[in-house]
Amino acid sequence: MNRRGIILMLLAAVIAVCGQCQATEIPASQDVYVSLGTGNETVYNQSDTLLCATNVPDANNTTLNSYPGVPLIQFNLSGIDIADDDIAILVLKAASVRQMDRSGIVALVTIGSDWDEQSDITTFLVNILPARNLIVKNDLSLMSTNSDGDDIYAFDVSQKLMQAKERGDKVSFLLEAIGNSTTEIDFLSKESGQGPYLMIMPYPGQPISGNADQAIPAGQPVQADQADPEGISGQMNQTDQILSPDSVSAEPPVNTFGLAQ
């Protein structure tokens, strides 16, 4: 069984077995996708989907690979307690998957969080480039990967969240499609209402601290204290249990900066 299947089975087991566990669902506070290596770098900040794509030229073509879609996703961790034994899973729902073959994977790395949806291309590059070098070097030991091509993509980010909490109250991730052929995946964004989520919960058998019925301060994620028989998809569809993300900016949906490669 591949790694993604194991992660999903673990998450489903936690939800089904640990009926009294408090599962914290955190929607993305910021999400965009950018084009890299296209010669006309563009930021898309109001789309219902987050394009994750790589354009691979023919074998006899010397043109460098381009990445017309590289999603960047940010979460606000303010007020969120994460224990050493907690499980943290980043889940995304794909609206469509277009692959020339099954060899492609989606890689995830953490990036800087000094950006928002209205930032300029220079700001994005400053936050992206140090982490993206890990992908260029193909150092899979420092990345999370997913290769199934199914509708739900899941990444174990438990250690990444612990490290992020030590530095501040935000965590940001970059997704990049990697493969030997052209691949395009449309992930649903926060604008779609089914956007990326972080799911944090105690590992089964760990003692639960606090009172599940305690009132939740305004602006904090809702604690789900009941198991969901429909599994992960059911969790994501129960919008009445999920905190609404930050208000969406009224800026135009596309910012084109015309930065040549």
Side-chain angles (χ1 to χ4, degrees):
M1 180 179 295
N2 58 38
R3 181 175 179 178
R4 191 196 81 89
I6 294 173
I7 292 174
L8 284 178
M9 287 186 62
L10 176 61
L11 184 56
V14 171
I15 295 173
V17 176
C18 189
Q20 295 183 348
C21 290
Q22 300 179 52
T24 303
E25 303 170 0
I26 308 175
S29 59
Q30 310 278 338
D31 60 14
V32 303
Y33 73 89
V34 301
S35 60
L36 297 175
T38 62
N40 186 24
E41 274 59 29
T42 305
V43 179
Y44 300 83
N45 61 6
Q46 294 289 293
S47 173
D48 285 342
T49 57
L50 301 171
L51 176 63
C52 184
T54 178
N55 184 19
V56 180
D58 295 335
N60 295 328
N61 194 330
T62 58
T63 302
L64 294 176
N65 293 7
S66 62
Y67 301 87
V70 178
L72 311 180
I73 306 166
Q74 185 177 117
F75 295 92
N76 187 348
L77 302 178
S78 178
I80 303 300
D81 293 326
I82 304 174
D84 291 341
D85 293 318
D86 283 351
I87 302 168
I89 307 294
L90 171 62
V91 292
L92 304 101
K93 192 172 185 179
S96 63
V97 178
R98 300 175 295 280
Q99 292 178 290
M100 298 297 293
D101 60 46
R102 305 290 291 181
S103 65
I105 64 173
V106 176
L108 176 145
V109 295
T110 53
I111 62 172
S113 292
D114 295 326
W115 60 274
D116 59 35
E117 293 184 1
Q118 308 309 317
S119 297
D120 59 29
I121 190 65
T122 301
T123 300
F124 281 109
L125 292 177
V126 168
N127 284 273
I128 289 173
L129 291 181
R132 190 171 181 271
N133 288 337
L134 300 177
I135 297 178
V136 174
K137 294 177 181 178
N138 290 323
D139 189 349
L140 297 180
S141 66
L142 300 176
M143 296 184 285
S144 299
T145 61
N146 188 308
S147 59
D148 271 10
D150 291 331
D151 289 344
I152 301 298
Y153 283 65
F155 300 88
D156 181 0
V157 295
S158 305
Q159 184 177 6
K160 295 177 175 62
L161 257 62
M162 293 291 292
Q163 294 170 346
K165 283 291 290 182
E166 295 175 357
R167 298 190 296 266
D169 290 326
K170 296 179 182 178
V171 63
S172 297
F173 301 102
L174 174 151
L175 297 172
E176 185 168 309
I178 300 175
N180 297 321
S181 62
T182 297
T183 298
E184 294 183 356
I185 303 169
D186 287 324
F187 291 113
L188 293 173
S189 72
K190 67 182 183 65
E191 282 79 12
S192 74
Q194 303 181 66
Y197 294 92
L198 283 178
M199 301 182 68
I200 306 173
M201 64 200 72
Y203 189 80
Q206 299 299 322
I208 307 299
S209 61
N211 187 346
D213 297 326
Q214 184 178 358
I216 300 171
Q220 297 301 322
V222 172
Q223 307 292 338
D225 58 359
Q226 295 182 348
D228 179 3
E230 297 181 3
I232 297 171
S233 297
Q235 286 270 353
M236 295 175 64
N237 290 332
Q238 294 180 10
T239 54
D240 59 332
Q241 293 185 344
I242 300 175
L243 173 70
S244 299
D246 296 344
S247 59
V248 178
S249 170
E251 292 292 324
V254 177
N255 292 328
T256 302
F257 301 94
L259 179 64
Q261 183 178 7

